[in-house]
Amino acid sequence: AGCGFSLESGIFVAAVTQGSPAAQEGSLTVGDRLIAINGIVLDNKPLADCEALLRNCSASLCLSIMKVI
């Protein structure tokens, strides 16, 4: 039986701060799903761990994302 779709949890962009490097780069938007930060896959990681990865990034940051359509 079932309804023909599945649900998925994940880490999503909640805000992009105006004037920030992310805003200046321009491709990240609210609702985008973060898949990995600097090559570290975020599956099953707590939000606090993901936030720490972002806080501890140095001069460069590489995000793997799934865009909102």
Side-chain angles (χ1 to χ4, degrees), residues 8-40:
E8 188 172 359
S9 62
I11 303 296
F12 296 86
V13 175
V16 178
T17 304
Q18 190 173 21
S20 69
Q24 292 173 8
E25 193 277 331
S27 65
L28 196 64
T29 55
V30 171
D32 288 347
R33 180 177 177 200
L34 294 182
I35 305 299
I37 299 172
N38 289 339
I40 300 170

Side-chain angles (χ1 to χ4, degrees), residues 36-48:
I37 299 172
N38 289 339
I40 300 170
V41 177
L42 306 181
D43 287 347
N44 302 315
K45 288 204 181 308
L47 180 60

Side-chain angles (χ1 to χ4, degrees), residues 44-56:
N44 302 315
K45 288 204 181 308
L47 180 60
D49 290 358
C50 300
E51 290 171 334
L53 287 171
L54 289 173
R55 275 194 306 277
N56 296 326

Side-chain angles (χ1 to χ4, degrees), residues 53-65:
L53 287 171
L54 289 173
R55 275 194 306 277
N56 296 326
C57 66
S58 57
S60 66
L61 175 65
C62 179
L63 299 177
S64 297
I65 61 172

